[in-house]
Amino acid sequence: GENVEQHPSTLSVQEGDSAVIKCTYSDSASNYFPWYKQELGKRPQLIIDIRSNVGEKKDQRIAVTLNKTAKHFSLHITETQPEDSAVYFCAASRSGGSNYKLTFGKGTLLTVNP
Amino acid sequence: DVKVTQSSRYLVKRTGEKVFLECVQDMDHENMFWYRQDPGLGLRLIYFSYDVKMKEKGDIPEGYSVSREKKERFSLILESASTNQTSMYLCASSTIYLDRGHIQYFGAGTRLSVL
């Protein structure tokens, strides 16, 4: 089955700096890569996703890049703000059929210091 | 807005008890999932269901079972609760339709303590 590795497990940055979280996956058939944000005491919520036919996707201060050859993808947050502090999870999935199972990484605790 | 509701935020049970965790979604989603979340271990899939009465094992199904008698409801059952099942349990749902597919919507979680 799919295995997703996520690094680093914790990341501390100063407000205004950039943050990068990296994930690798094992299943070359995976073609969908979402990122979820979980604030303290709240439920995980999708913040951005990318499909394998695209190399990069951007939404305001967040972007995701995908390297299919190397089987890794990354989340980039620019101009970080204290409200970006949360646990971030990457995930990978195959599409097709009735199976939409996601395999999650172990998460990265991002702390943005004011 | 998609709403995924878990019946309890906090539960305290005794070792050996049978425990039911309930999850209801209001968006007519086909897929439903149960995860447990432990510090440093991320979100681990216990079971999922892609249709009524259908279920598939996830990565850590031991000690758990599930029931999906209606499309909107997915129950997680701990037949005989043990202390190592103390955890946060998260339910999620998603649709199979590709234009909205894969996005999982999570419930608020049930924090279960087994004493």
Side-chain angles (χ1 to χ4, degrees):
Chain A
E2 176 65 277
N3 182 50
V4 176
E5 300 281 344
Q6 183 172 347
H7 299 281
S9 55
T10 61
L11 179 59
S12 181
V13 300
Q14 290 299 122
E15 183 176 358
D17 286 352
S18 295
V20 180
I21 302 169
K22 298 182 179 182
C23 290
T24 60
Y25 62 98
S26 61
D27 185 353
S28 56
S30 288
N31 56 9
Y32 175 69
F33 307 93
W35 287 87
Y36 285 77
K37 175 184 181 183
Q38 186 179 27
E39 297 177 16
L40 186 63
K42 297 196 174 178
R43 69 194 74 193
Q45 290 192 300
L46 179 77
I47 54 170
I48 195 167
D49 57 10
I50 191 167
R51 297 186 190 273
S52 59
N53 56 350
V54 174
E56 183 173 358
K57 185 176 178 181
K58 196 171 181 181
D59 183 4
Q60 299 183 342
R61 295 186 298 106
I62 60 173
V64 58
T65 58
L66 171 65
N67 183 327
K68 283 178 59 180
T69 304
K71 289 192 279 189
H72 67 70
F73 57 110
S74 300
L75 178 72
H76 304 254
I77 307 174
T78 58
E79 299 171 23
T80 53
Q81 300 167 4
E83 52 264 39
D84 295 327
S85 295
V87 178
Y88 292 80
F89 294 99
C90 63
S93 174
R94 297 184 182 193
S95 67
S98 57
N99 183 343
Y100 283 80
K101 186 176 75 164
L102 292 176
T103 301
F104 285 90
K106 289 184 166 51
T108 297
L109 174 61
L110 173 65
T111 303
V112 180
N113 302 299
Chain B
D1 264 1
V2 176
K3 198 165 185 182
V4 180
T5 304
Q6 295 183 229
S7 53
S8 305
R9 288 301 305 271
Y10 301 94
L11 271 181
V12 180
K13 297 292 181 181
R14 298 228 174 258
T15 302
E17 276 193 79
K18 189 169 187 175
V19 181
F20 293 86
L21 302 184
E22 307 286 345
C23 177
V24 177
Q25 49 93 5
D26 67 354
M27 280 300 292
D28 202 36
H29 282 174
E30 296 76 18
N31 303 320
M32 295 189 76
F33 307 84
W34 275 107
Y35 296 91
R36 67 177 279 177
Q37 182 174 20
D38 301 288
L41 297 179
L43 299 167
R44 293 182 293 167
L45 182 64
I46 304 171
Y47 268 97
F48 67 103
S49 169
Y50 54 88
D51 200 353
V52 175
K53 297 192 187 295
M54 304 304 290
K55 61 184 179 185
E56 286 200 24
K57 292 179 180 179
D59 301 316
I60 52 164
E62 296 78 19
Y64 304 95
S65 62
V66 290
S67 173
R68 193 162 180 206
E69 295 296 317
K70 293 185 178 181
K71 191 175 185 181
E72 68 271 17
R73 186 179 297 268
F74 192 34
S75 303
L76 179 69
I77 303 155
L78 287 65
E79 294 288 342
S80 177
S82 64
T83 54
N84 62 12
Q85 293 178 310
T86 291
S87 188
M88 171 68 84
Y89 290 87
L90 288 165
C91 175
S93 73
S94 72
T95 181
I96 64 171
Y97 294 101
L98 278 177
D99 63 332
R100 299 184 298 281
H102 286 289
I103 300 173
Q104 291 193 10
Y105 298 87
F106 285 84
T110 297
R111 185 165 294 283
L112 173 66
S113 296
V114 182
L115 306 179

